[in-house]
């Protein structure tokens, strides 16, 4: 196990093409390890990415995982 994994909690997020549109609340996160193709439209608003990051930090549901974000 890497030392960083022992002491740090992390989440890596790959958003698809970012837009400046308002949040839609329909962000979809897929674990990179389970991804075979992009789900949904290949765009997401910056506001939806921010909301996902906040939620992931608060509840820890994406702890030590990599998420690919698209619009739902």
């Amino acid at each position: 196990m890497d030392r960083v994994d022992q002491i740090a909690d992390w989440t890596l997020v790959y958003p698809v093409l970012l837009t400046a549109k308002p949040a839609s609340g329909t962000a979809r996160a897929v674990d990179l390890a389970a991804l075979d193709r992009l789900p949904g439209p290949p765009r997401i608003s910056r506001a939806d990415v921010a909301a996902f990051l906040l939620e992931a930090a608060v509840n820890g549901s994406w702890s030590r995982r990599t998420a690919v974000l698209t619009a739902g």
Side-chain angles (χ1 to χ4, degrees):
M1 182 179 287
D2 188 69
R3 179 161 167 72
V4 172
D5 284 338
Q6 294 174 359
I7 61 172
D9 193 12
W10 55 269
T11 301
L12 185 60
V13 177
Y14 289 109
V16 291
L17 182 65
L18 294 171
T19 70
K21 294 182 179 181
S24 67
T26 61
R28 181 173 178 190
V30 178
D31 195 310
L32 181 62
L35 185 69
D36 57 349
R37 67 183 183 94
L38 284 177
R43 291 181 172 82
I44 190 165
S45 73
R46 288 172 173 83
D48 282 326
V49 173
F52 173 83
L53 290 171
L54 179 61
E55 181 68 22
V58 169
N59 72 22
S61 61
W62 282 89
S63 178
R64 298 178 185 222
R65 293 169 58 197
T66 302
V68 176
L69 292 183
T70 66

